Amino acid sequence: MKGDETMKILILSGNPKKEGLCQTIIDAAKLGANEGGAEVEEIRLADLDMIRCQICGDGWGECRTEHTCIHGSDGFDEIKERVERSDAIILATPVYWGETTEAFKSFIDRLRRCEFGPKGIMSNKQVLLIASPGGSGNGLLSCLEQMDRFCRHTGAIIFDYIGVNRWNSDYTRVAAQAAAFAMASGRKNGDTV
Ligand SMILES: Cc1cc2nc3c(=O)[nH]c(=O)nc-3n(C[C@H](O)[C@H](O)[C@H](O)COP(=O)(O)O)c2cc1C
């Protein structure tokens, strides 16, 4: 991002629902990012009809060397371009089985293969991680760890981790809004406040 350009924040959401706990947190993060001056767009991965990774070749497909998915015309390429154009990312998902949702997981599986390493489009991008386990509250850490691993593999910089459940959502919703605001305002991982 150059000098006076508006920061672009992309929310990649694994949420299949349009209402409920997870969406209220995503909306709070969106509000915070807008208040921080960013342009925000949300992509709802569960609404799209994309395939999972086809594990081409004998495991290492062309994606590793060509940095592109040969099945990308199913909508994957377009989202990849939007990831590339964004300055920072918010990854947000409900927790399913202690993991991200299936739609979210299959998307990051493919993106990781294309963008692994320090030269990819995720590299050095700040990423805010939000996971909401709405039932028992179990599986938050394993879900965040899955998202964390994706960031480590793609060289993204984790700005913060936010875990939202039914009995902490009053204050974690505030935290999601404030974290997105801080990121949109230009705060960096490592700054002291
Ligand atoms: C298939 C499935 C698996 C789920 N697994 C978990 C889980 O492991 N831990 C948990 O606390 N909640 C689990 N949930 C509940 C969701 O996390 C919850 O619906 C969502 O995070 C937040 O609530 P919302 O649906 O109101 O947005 C699961 C829900 C579904 C549909």
Side-chain angles (χ1 to χ4, degrees):
M1 200 179 76
K2 295 190 207 92
D4 53 358
E5 272 179 36
T6 304
M7 183 185 287
K8 292 183 188 59
I9 295 188
L10 177 65
I11 302 176
L12 289 174
S13 162
N15 190 18
K17 293 172 65 177
K18 298 208 164 62
E19 290 172 355
L21 175 68
C22 186
Q23 195 57 42
T24 65
I25 304 303
I26 292 171
D27 291 344
K30 201 185 289 176
L31 181 65
N34 276 323
E35 287 169 343
E39 249 173 50
V40 190
E41 63 168 332
E42 177 183 351
I43 297 179
R44 294 174 48 86
L45 296 166
D47 290 351
L48 307 175
D49 194 15
M50 284 191 293
I51 57 169
R52 65 155 175 80
C53 174
Q54 299 296 295
I55 324 172
C56 300
D58 50 6
W60 288 116
E62 280 176 40
C63 47
R64 186 187 179 204
T65 46
E66 303 304 317
H67 311 292
T68 184
C69 174
I70 60 169
H71 304 288
S73 60
D74 70 341
F76 175 79
D77 285 346
E78 196 195 317
I79 301 180
K80 192 161 158 284
E81 275 166 32
R82 284 157 84 180
V83 169
E84 188 164 19
R85 285 201 300 272
S86 66
D87 301 302
I89 311 262
I90 296 174
L91 297 180
T93 180
V95 175
Y96 282 10
W97 314 111
E99 301 184 353
T100 65
T101 62
E102 289 80 352
F104 188 95
K105 176 68 169 70
S106 27
F107 177 75
I108 61 170
D109 279 346
R110 289 172 79 189
L111 191 61
R112 167 169 41 200
R113 280 177 172 266
C114 296
E115 304 303 331
F116 176 78
K119 293 193 177 150
I121 62 172
M122 290 295 297
S123 187
N124 288 323
K125 237 166 231 185
Q126 295 222 110
V127 180
L128 174 63
L129 305 181
I130 301 175
S132 75
S136 59
N138 295 338
L140 169 65
L141 285 183
S142 45
C143 180
L144 286 174
E145 195 186 13
Q146 191 175 55
M147 298 160 95
D148 175 295
R149 200 175 314 120
F150 164 75
C151 292
R152 307 275 167 211
H153 282 151
T154 55
I157 297 170
I158 296 168
F159 185 71
D160 209 347
Y161 306 80
I162 297 187
V164 182
N165 59 42
R166 283 181 290 138
W167 58 97
N168 74 10
S169 63
D170 52 346
Y171 58 85
T172 48
R173 190 175 294 109
V174 177
Q177 185 175 342
F181 176 87
M183 194 167 74
S185 309
R187 191 182 302 172
K188 298 273 187 284
N189 167 323
D191 287 353
T192 301
V193 291

